[in-house]
Amino acid sequence: MTDDFQIPGFVNAHSHAFQRALRGLVEGRDFWAWREAMLELAAGVRTDYRAVFAEMRAAGYTAVGEFHYLGLDEARAAAEAAAAIGIELVVLYVAYARGGIERFRQESVADYVRDLERLRADGARVGVAPHSVRACPREWLVELGRYATAEGLPLHVHADEQPREIEECLAEHGVRPIELLADCGCLGPRTTVVHATHANDHELDLIADAGARVCLCLTTEANLGDGFAPVEQLCERGIGICIGSDSNARIDPLEELRELEGIARRRTGRRNVVSPDSLLCFGADEGAASLGVESWSEITIDLDHPSLRGVEEQDIFAALVSGCSAAVLAPVAA
Ligand SMILES: [Zn+2]
């Protein structure tokens, strides 16, 4: 007997689809070596978005925020692929002023906004995404913050992933990355800070005061050796948390959530720091709110899957986040 159980689909609030091609490569080398390989890949890539989005859909994600820095044509290809696969897409179109490679960069904020407006005119759902305080100088951050606020768009930005980024920001601006974002008007209720791995107490207070969210990309942060997400510090402050598959080294929302709770348990020395219901909310509703998405498809739980053998109905959610992979999740047939 198959007795399927429907739940909201998971929401992948932070993805770089093209990095899926790096899976299994450059293991055993540091973050900055990985970044070099990623830049090399990005210079020539035409991503097979359909295959990557299909992998996400099969893993239970039914909405994705694609943090996109490969230019307008590739953004359009991503939008077409998402429509074909049936995954709700928000193109978090990236503003990139300096560093990286030429393909990532725009000449000015006006050029950036022109491309973003083209995507909106095509009917794509978009968000504003200053890549990081490394890639965007203060004047860009001020203009982008103002534009996102005026347009009511989500604003996503990488911050505090690696200690070196914080040192460079302190050297250039005399403040830490999230302090700079707050100074520049980039921290508000529609903001999602991606990573915040090395954020200090003051930076986390700023996020809480602004009503902003944090997107944790646990499997990528583990793969890249970024550090431990500050899970308890975020929860203590009531900061909304969402999840992202980021580099797509793994695509499995249940693994992201288990890693999140695993970090919290190891650090506090106790169990059940975040309840299964809250974890599922991080995996779905918080991600949707982060992306400004109001409706996205449901998924089903395969109750006949061997991973759920012997689990009572009231324990299914706990079993999902403690003991199952995405293999128990499936899209609802249209
Ligand atoms: Zn990222």
Side-chain angles (χ1 to χ4, degrees), residues 14-16 19 34 67 69 131 157-158 161 194-195 217 220 224 245-247:
H14 188 76
S15 156
H16 308 283
Q19 293 177 14
W34 173 87
F67 198 96
Y69 46 80
H131 179 276
V157 57
H158 293 120
E161 181 177 11
V194 182
H195 303 302
C217 306
T220 294
L224 295 178
S245 68
D246 195 357
S247 69

Side-chain angles (χ1 to χ4, degrees), residues 66-90:
E66 178 65 14
F67 198 96
H68 181 86
Y69 46 80
L70 299 177
L72 187 60
D73 292 344
E74 285 260 320
R76 287 176 163 148
E80 274 170 31
I85 294 300
I87 192 167
E88 194 68 37
L89 174 74
V90 178

Side-chain angles (χ1 to χ4, degrees), residues 58-116:
Y61 287 119
T62 60
V64 56
E66 178 65 14
F67 198 96
H68 181 86
Y69 46 80
L70 299 177
L72 187 60
D73 292 344
E74 285 260 320
R76 287 176 163 148
E80 274 170 31
I85 294 300
I87 192 167
E88 194 68 37
L89 174 74
V90 178
V91 182
L92 300 164
Y93 199 68
V94 173
Y96 214 109
R98 59 188 186 182
I101 56 174
E102 195 183 345
R103 181 178 192 183
F104 298 174
R105 296 190 293 259
Q106 301 90 21
E107 290 288 315
S108 63
V109 175
D111 281 0
Y112 165 80
V113 168
R114 192 196 57 224
D115 283 353
L116 187 79

Side-chain angles (χ1 to χ4, degrees), residues 286-307:
E286 285 290 342
S290 157
L291 294 173
V293 167
E294 274 147 22
S295 68
W296 66 104
S297 304
E298 294 199 313
I299 55 173
T300 61
I301 301 170
D302 174 7
L303 299 181
D304 289 334
H305 194 280
S307 300

Side-chain angles (χ1 to χ4, degrees), residues 161-177:
E161 181 177 11
Q162 289 272 328
R164 183 168 126 187
E165 169 203 338
I166 298 172
E167 288 155 22
E168 287 173 0
C169 187
L170 281 165
E172 182 178 0
H173 301 285
V175 292
R176 298 169 64 92

